[in-house]
Amino acid sequence: MNITREKVVSTLIKDKRVPQLETASAFASTNIALCKYWGKRDIELNLPMTSSLSVSMGELGASTKISLSGTEEIWLNGEAVSTNTLFYQRLIEFFDLFRPTADTKFKIETDTNIPVAAGLASSACGFAATVKALDKLFAWEQSDSHLSILARLGSGSACRSIYDGFVLWNAGIAKDGMDSYAEDLEYVWPELRVGILLVDSKQKSISSRDAMQATVETCPYYKLWPETVNKAIKVVDEALEQRDFWALGTTAEANSLAMHALMLATTPPIIYSQGGTLELMQKVWRLRAEGLPVFFTQDAGPNLKLLFLQKDEEKLKEQFAQMRVVAPFAKVKESTHV
Ligand code: DP6
């Protein structure tokens, strides 16, 4: 028999089902996978086929405030979310897992500083911030690994957004997913920069959820994916340890392209790239051929995230005027200087 999300939630939170506060808030950074999560072994619990490795985006993320309320309401960036959107339904279904009684209603207000559903992992930080806020509201006092499991039930990649810095999500093998959670890696790389290049910030045509399922079901090359990711994780882990930026960049870029190659060979094919995406990729390759160490990674959308080092920031800003630059370790750097 399949294990339900309800079962996992009751195993973790036990009888702590009564809110201890009227309102609670939390922030979580979004994260960018350097070795991607693409494909599930359990759809209900968002259990992945493979492990994945990411870097959290520091100040870029979501703040969520949850209040007990007379009416159920969801607000996103100051606007009420309509009840017939997928966003509303997914979030309400998630809250159903924690409602002490059927008539307990929540007002959920989320503010993000990233475009929603543009392949920039906004569901990741949204669910991670929600779980952190629920932990305060109900005074669960869950460990980070348990919060990671709870966030995963909302969206797979959200389990990595519980942490800052480099994060590894271990796929695990247990049927109930109790061994499938993220952990933070010790590595700190203050010079690392991520540049966000928006090609299009409109809602994507097919969700990553549906796209990865279609890939698993119909792509003849999907069977090569687990070995591809596992190898990439090993190389990236070593690159982080050695501070080998070239190895990090080439591996992350190749892993992202391999994921998109799987989608191309899915029936019907899935192509998130647009003309502008390919132009940017070619520009990155040209700059690299000219000696600039810059790489890209792409998720379930047309936008690119560039990976580079602080020393090249000015040169790259000249090349990509609209680029938003994130320093994932900005906070860590400040504190080591104090
Ligand atoms: C391409 O975590 O959004 O960003 O578990 O169905 O909610 P669900 O999928 P989601 O998928 C993220 C896919 C990705 C790669 C990654 O972040 O590892």
Side-chain angles (χ1 to χ4, degrees):
M1 210 182 70
N2 283 344
I3 292 150
T4 60
R5 300 201 293 174
E6 286 77 5
K7 173 84 181 53
V8 173
V9 168
S10 16
T11 307
L12 292 179
I13 68 171
K14 302 197 169 67
D15 56 354
K16 291 194 169 177
R17 292 218 171 243
V18 182
Q20 302 294 311
L21 297 170
E22 283 290 308
T23 177
S25 311
F27 171 82
S29 303
T30 191
N31 73 80
I32 307 290
L34 302 170
C35 303
K36 309 289 186 191
Y37 148 53
W38 199 252
K40 304 179 195 195
R41 63 186 163 88
D42 184 313
I43 297 172
E44 159 96 6
L45 303 179
N46 292 330
L47 293 177
M49 291 284 199
T50 71
S51 298
S52 55
L53 193 153
S54 62
V55 59
S56 287
M57 289 291 95
E59 80 226 8
L60 219 61
S63 296
T64 296
K65 180 174 165 193
I66 304 169
S67 318
L68 296 172
S69 165
T71 51
E72 194 102 305
E73 290 169 52
I74 299 180
W75 292 76
L76 181 61
N77 295 330
E79 281 182 35
V81 177
S82 157
T83 53
N84 58 20
T85 56
L86 199 64
F87 181 91
Y88 186 95
Q89 284 150 16
R90 257 182 90 179
L91 202 55
I92 293 301
E93 272 176 28
F94 189 67
F95 272 81
D96 287 345
L97 298 170
F98 309 103
R99 244 178 258 285
T101 59
D103 58 2
T104 309
K105 300 204 165 49
F106 298 101
K107 180 176 183 190
I108 306 147
E109 295 162 274
T110 296
D111 288 307
T112 66
N113 48 12
I114 44 174
V116 172
L120 283 171
S122 48
S123 67
C125 52
F127 279 106
T130 297
V131 163
K132 285 183 175 184
L134 284 170
D135 186 64
K136 292 182 189 167
L137 192 85
F138 288 97
W140 288 333
E141 297 178 337
Q142 292 283 327
S143 63
D144 282 347
S145 40
H146 284 175
L147 291 179
S148 178
I149 290 176
L150 292 169
R152 165 172 54 73
L153 299 178
S155 179
S157 53
C159 79
R160 299 185 308 234
S161 271
I162 294 294
Y163 308 92
D164 293 330
F166 295 110
V167 178
L168 177 70
W169 173 10
N170 287 301
I173 49 167
K175 229 172 151 342
D176 62 2
M178 287 302 175
D179 56 357
S180 184
Y181 53 83
E183 57 178 335
D184 54 343
L185 299 172
E186 297 289 289
Y187 313 117
V188 173
W189 200 335
E191 296 80 17
L192 181 71
R193 295 291 179 272
V194 180
I196 295 168
L197 292 174
L198 285 188
V199 173
D200 187 348
S201 59
K202 282 201 292 292
Q203 187 91 10
K204 48 198 173 190
S205 50
I206 170 167
S207 68
S208 39
R209 181 154 294 191
D210 294 343
M212 68 173 80
Q213 195 49 29
T215 310
V216 172
E217 283 167 10
T218 73
C219 177
Y221 312 118
Y222 188 76
K223 56 180 181 297
L224 300 172
W225 179 245
E227 202 192 326
T228 307
V229 189
N230 289 340
K231 270 193 192 154
I233 291 176
K234 265 205 193 118
V235 177
V236 167
D237 189 66
E238 219 169 280
L240 295 178
E241 191 170 349
Q242 310 282 329
R243 292 257 177 122
D244 180 345
F245 183 66
W246 196 265
L248 172 76
T250 46
T251 311
E253 187 177 294
N255 184 258
S256 159
L257 286 167
M259 177 180 77
H260 287 276
L262 294 179
M263 292 187 234
L264 205 57
T266 290
T267 310
I270 301 157
I271 304 181
Y272 283 111
S273 294
Q274 296 177 5
T277 316
L278 298 182
E279 275 168 30
L280 289 173
M281 286 178 180
Q282 276 158 352
K283 187 163 174 181
V284 168
W285 290 326
R286 200 172 60 238
L287 291 170
R288 206 151 80 216
E290 289 166 7
L292 204 59
V294 54
F295 303 87
F296 65 80
T297 183
Q298 179 189 8
D299 292 300
N303 308 310
L304 293 188
K305 293 94 185 188
L306 301 191
L307 302 169
F308 55 93
L309 295 173
Q310 183 182 24
K311 66 179 174 56
D312 297 316
E313 188 167 331
E314 290 316 311
K315 269 181 255 164
L316 283 159
K317 276 183 175 159
E318 277 166 28
Q319 292 292 333
F320 301 99
Q322 308 303 323
M323 181 169 68
R324 164 120 190 228
V325 178
V326 180
F329 293 92
K331 265 195 295 183
V332 179
K333 205 178 169 196
E334 266 164 36
S335 56
T336 49
H337 278 266
V338 172

